Amino acid sequence: MAGDRADVGIIGAGPIGLELAIALKKHGIDYLHFDAKQIGYTISWYAPQTRFFSSNERIAIAGVPLDVPDQNKATREQYLAYLRTVAKLFDLDVRTYEPVSGIDRVGGEFLLTTNARGGKRTYRVGKLVLATGGTDHPRKLNIPGEDLPHVSAYFQDPHEYFQRDLLIIGGKNSAVEAALRSHHAGACVTISYRREKLPEKSIKYWLMPEITHLIDAGRIAGHYATQPVAITPTHVTLRKLADGSTFDVRADFVLKLIGYEQDNTLLKLAGVKLLGDCGAPAYDDRTMETNVPGLYVAGTAVGGTQDKYTVFIENCHVHVDRIMAALTGAAPPPAPVPLARPES
């Protein structure tokens, strides 16, 4: 393989991007692999010691078992270590911190422009796979004060909130997990959620009884059917959706855990058709090829900006098999048996 040309290009080095790189390597197909950040970057901004919803076998890749010392579901740290181990095991060459900024068609190939640390570089690939994920930017509240320094869309170490007032905006799994962990770390926690009750199907089953008990007991304050309308350095103003009245909640820190949006810049640059409110890319579910010939999508990128999450690591492994079949001229693999109850 020439250094600046390959048969296949992969953009994105999350679990499915890495799994695809391993499959290409096993088939002896030349490829170039890029990521704007580090491998598994999305997972790296999970809070310390966050455990996956999915069981380990469902998020393992390339046939490499994911074993952890306590036989529990993997933590953020364990999974990142696992991805690093897999990358070393298969001697994967991922050009991390080299974001792709341009995609053009030239002579039947894709011309990629990247912003490498030494300056712009260009590469040519015959086929291209976008495995760029779907949680690139936090959703915005679009209210005064949300850009203040004590407001964040990322839950980090709960120790930060010890003996301080913490308001969490949101009511799905991330918000509930942050609320529980911060409460146990000694924070005074309040939750503001726009619905009438917490969505049980969107919360890890082992967390729901605990958060329900703590809210019912008044140990965590739960303000349902409310929306924030303004944030100040000392409090957040909430509006009751039932009657429009407002009240203030003290907040030394604010976590807005209301979901994330996909950065579809590369999809648009490449000319991929986007569908529906989620902006999901159009693709053939037998081959993963988009409306752009020779350009494929894989992993959670296929879901666009998901509102109700249905695409996770655990149900994306088949994307690798479909793309490999398309690249090698094999018959598409049969559709997997739907999971009776996806764990993610």
Side-chain angles (χ1 to χ4, degrees), residues 160-212:
E160 183 176 1
Y161 312 119
F162 172 64
Q163 293 188 345
R164 308 304 296 185
D165 293 311
L166 170 65
L167 175 68
I168 297 174
I169 302 166
K172 294 185 178 179
N173 191 75
S174 296
V176 167
E177 189 156 11
L180 289 173
R181 293 186 63 185
S182 299
H183 168 78
H184 292 309
C188 180
V189 180
T190 299
I191 293 178
S192 168
Y193 185 51
R194 59 180 177 160
R195 305 297 185 191
E196 296 288 342
K197 61 180 181 178
L198 295 176
E200 186 171 353
K201 291 183 178 180
S202 298
I203 297 170
K204 295 173 183 176
Y205 60 84
W206 63 89
L207 300 182
M208 192 64 188
E210 184 177 12
I211 190 66
T212 300

Side-chain angles (χ1 to χ4, degrees), residues 87-282:
K88 289 187 289 186
L89 177 65
F90 290 97
D91 193 25
L92 299 181
D93 179 16
V94 184
R95 302 179 185 216
T96 54
Y97 302 103
E98 189 169 347
V100 174
S101 57
I103 301 175
D104 297 287
R105 293 300 296 265
V106 178
E109 294 184 321
F110 293 95
L111 178 67
L112 306 181
T113 302
T114 70
N115 294 328
R117 291 195 173 181
K120 288 187 179 295
R121 295 194 60 182
T122 58
Y123 304 86
R124 289 177 181 264
V125 295
K127 308 288 185 182
L128 182 60
V129 182
L130 297 183
T132 47
T135 53
D136 301 288
H137 305 302
R139 293 181 188 271
K140 299 283 286 184
L141 290 167
N142 296 315
I143 63 173
E146 74 172 305
D147 295 323
L148 288 171
H150 69 299
V151 181
S152 176
Y154 299 97
F155 173 53
Q156 296 296 319
D157 195 324
H159 175 77
E160 183 176 1
Y161 312 119
F162 172 64
Q163 293 188 345
R164 308 304 296 185
D165 293 311
L166 170 65
L167 175 68
I168 297 174
I169 302 166
K172 294 185 178 179
N173 191 75
S174 296
V176 167
E177 189 156 11
L180 289 173
R181 293 186 63 185
S182 299
H183 168 78
H184 292 309
C188 180
V189 180
T190 299
I191 293 178
S192 168
Y193 185 51
R194 59 180 177 160
R195 305 297 185 191
E196 296 288 342
K197 61 180 181 178
L198 295 176
E200 186 171 353
K201 291 183 178 180
S202 298
I203 297 170
K204 295 173 183 176
Y205 60 84
W206 63 89
L207 300 182
M208 192 64 188
E210 184 177 12
I211 190 66
T212 300
H213 165 72
L214 289 172
I215 291 176
D216 288 347
R219 297 172 63 190
I220 290 178
H223 296 299
Y224 298 130
T226 62
Q227 284 184 327
V229 294
I231 301 174
T232 77
T234 60
H235 67 269
V236 177
T237 301
L238 300 180
R239 181 179 65 226
K240 296 180 180 180
L241 299 182
D243 60 14
S245 62
T246 62
F247 62 99
D248 291 340
V249 174
R250 284 190 54 81
D252 299 307
F253 295 95
V254 179
L255 284 173
K256 47 177 189 175
L257 302 179
I258 55 174
Y260 302 88
E261 297 179 345
Q262 181 184 66
D263 183 344
N264 55 22
T265 302
L266 293 180
L267 291 164
K268 290 179 177 178
L269 279 175
V272 175
K273 184 178 180 181
L274 304 179
L275 305 173
D277 294 337
C278 292

